[in-house]
Amino acid sequence: MSTQMTEADWEVALEVFRLCLPRRGAKAKDDRLFLEALHFFSVHNITWRALPERFGRWNTVWRRFHRLSRSGVFEDFFATLADLSNTAHLVQMFDSTVTRAHVSAAGAKGGSRVRRSGAHGAASARRST
């Protein structure tokens, strides 16, 4: 599977991304570097701290991503990209998020067990012959 984007793809993505950015606030120095960092992050399935140095400080990339996510930029970005596509209606996405259970939840029966007291058993009649 190829994960490389062509220069024409980058031009379209950057133009759409810049249209979706909020009008207020300081403008970033390099939008393409930021989008490349997000692309690298998602393709390689890494943590933010594992971003290579060429993208800048990982915390700066994360803060910008977090701020833009809260403001709805990425929803607008992907909706606009989908509107430009002739085949976007054919694509479906599946979320493959996995949540691991605690090791103690790995098959053993849990919960409280009802234990009868010895006094109750001594007062009842014997059941065996």
Side-chain angles (χ1 to χ4, degrees):
M1 177 172 105
S2 175
T3 59
Q4 296 295 320
M5 290 176 60
T6 65
E7 287 300 318
D9 292 338
W10 275 115
E11 288 176 20
V12 171
L14 283 170
E15 184 177 341
V16 171
F17 183 70
R18 288 178 181 138
L19 289 173
C20 296
L21 288 174
R23 304 292 177 241
R24 297 178 56 191
K27 301 302 176 205
K29 294 177 186 174
D30 193 353
D31 290 330
R32 178 169 175 164
L33 187 65
F34 173 69
L35 290 178
E36 285 178 353
L38 295 183
H39 184 250
F40 188 90
F41 175 79
S42 61
V43 167
H44 295 285
N45 194 23
I46 59 172
T47 62
W48 288 108
R49 291 178 187 265
L51 273 176
E53 287 292 322
R54 70 176 183 261
F55 297 120
R57 293 180 30 200
W58 70 268
N59 196 10
T60 305
V61 176
W62 176 81
R63 280 184 299 165
R64 185 173 181 200
F65 171 76
H66 184 67
R67 186 179 66 248
L68 293 177
S69 295
R70 283 186 297 156
S71 65
V73 167
F74 293 108
E75 286 83 3
D76 295 341
F77 177 61
F78 291 123
T80 306
L81 285 177
D83 290 342
L84 294 175
S85 172
N86 295 330
T87 58
H89 65 283
L90 300 174
V91 177
Q92 294 187 14
M93 300 203 52
F94 295 95
D95 185 10
S96 62
T97 304
V98 176
T99 304
R100 291 183 52 103
H102 189 269
V103 69
S104 64
K109 287 190 173 184
S112 62
R113 294 183 180 166
V114 177
R115 294 186 180 173
R116 295 192 173 133
S117 69
H120 177 68
S124 63
R126 293 182 60 128
R127 296 183 185 188
S128 62
T129 54

